[in-house]
Amino acid sequence: MCGRYALDAPRSRLSWRFALDEGDDENKDSEDDKLLARYNIAPMSDVPVIRQSPAGRRVLHRLRWGLLPHWATEPAIGARLINARGESLAAKPAFRDAFRRRRCLLPASGFYEWQALTATTGAARKQPFYISLVSGETMAFAGLWESWTAPGGDVVRSCCIVTTAANERLRAGPRADAADPCRRALASLAERAGGAGRVADPPVCRSRIAALAGE
DNA sequence: CCAGACGTTGTT
DNA sequence: GTCTGG
DNA sequence: CCAGACGTTGTT
DNA sequence: GTCTGG
């Protein structure tokens, strides 16, 4: 599953990595800088998404994470449709249409998974892990998207992330080695977030994730 | 038939 | 404990 | 995913 | 809009 992730990549890198076609007017979004430098991306926020135009152009667009099917009655519906299981989405009413006609990619530097700690104290704590490619390269999630029109007429473009069985090739856990690419990437993200280019994210999450980076 | 959901995860 | 909102 | 709410009455 | 549960 994926409920939080990070993206820290300039447009030029995404353009190269995913062979984007430049020139689309939507490509020039004044908030791009904020969208492309985040280490704690949460559902219901706007995220950069790569879509293919009818003419076949690959373009970076900004959509809300949390799918709003065409039959949705209120935007809050999207809060529960942040992931779609790859094994079943073709048959699910919430995802079927989007799966047939509206697929996309969500570029990411890495993503977070939380593991429950069976601490001796009764307190149920969770340990976050940051997962990224060993190469350090930008990755992308498979995604679906929708365009939803609110009763009032406002249009909301939304998306969700396709999930699948855990990848067996994942390394068996973070190394103590400070040179571990995953740790280096997270440390870099945490440092960036604490510096001048800080992004607006919940302080509690920030400290927890920063704590992970520090160990 | 109508009403209500429409999704995922992880778990003693 | 469980749901909602972000 | 996490954080935070979780409820009712009556009212200029 | 379409499926599921009652």
Side-chain angles (χ1 to χ4, degrees):
Chain A
M1 176 181 183
C2 180
R4 298 256 174 169
Y5 68 99
L7 176 61
D8 183 24
R11 164 176 293 283
S12 58
R13 180 150 209 88
L14 296 181
S15 186
W16 165 79
R17 175 71 164 149
F18 300 107
L20 300 184
D21 295 300
E22 302 296 340
D24 190 292
D25 39 355
E26 284 206 25
N27 244 1
K28 282 105 183 166
D29 190 317
S30 60
E31 297 191 38
D32 266 1
D33 289 345
K34 290 179 182 175
L35 286 182
L36 299 179
R38 292 194 286 162
Y39 75 104
N40 190 14
I41 300 173
M44 299 300 274
S45 63
D46 286 351
V47 295
V49 170
I50 297 167
R51 299 191 295 180
Q52 215 167 28
S53 74
R57 301 175 68 80
R58 262 186 234 178
V59 187
L60 193 67
H61 287 153
R62 159 184 156 156
L63 284 74
R64 182 187 303 174
W65 181 16
L67 199 75
L68 285 170
H70 63 94
W71 42 257
T73 54
E74 51 175 4
I77 297 286
R80 281 171 298 172
L81 300 177
I82 64 173
N83 292 139
R85 292 194 54 166
E87 297 87 343
S88 59
L89 50 67
K92 297 283 186 182
F95 303 126
R96 194 175 45 198
D97 293 346
F99 174 62
R100 282 198 296 143
R101 301 171 51 87
R102 291 180 291 278
R103 304 179 186 184
C104 61
L105 293 177
L106 290 86
S109 298
F111 62 99
Y112 302 98
E113 293 288 349
W114 279 259
Q115 189 174 50
L117 294 176
T118 51
T120 52
T121 62
R125 296 198 60 247
K126 283 189 171 183
Q127 173 70 59
F129 290 90
Y130 179 72
I131 299 156
S132 59
L133 297 185
V134 172
S135 67
E137 257 304 340
T138 308
M139 64 174 89
F141 305 119
L144 309 175
W145 65 271
E146 287 275 5
S147 187
W148 177 73
T149 304
D154 293 343
V155 173
V156 179
R157 299 182 303 181
S158 62
C159 62
C160 68
I161 292 174
V162 175
T163 64
T164 188
N167 187 336
E168 297 297 334
R169 293 171 63 110
L170 273 180
R171 182 146 54 208
R175 303 190 306 196
D177 183 0
D180 177 83
C182 172
R183 286 173 176 273
R184 284 167 45 86
L186 184 54
S188 170
L189 287 170
E191 183 181 357
R192 177 178 296 262
R198 93 168 24 224
V199 293
D201 276 317
V204 175
C205 289
R206 180 182 298 127
S207 61
R208 280 191 188 172
I209 292 168
L212 172 64
E215 287 355 294

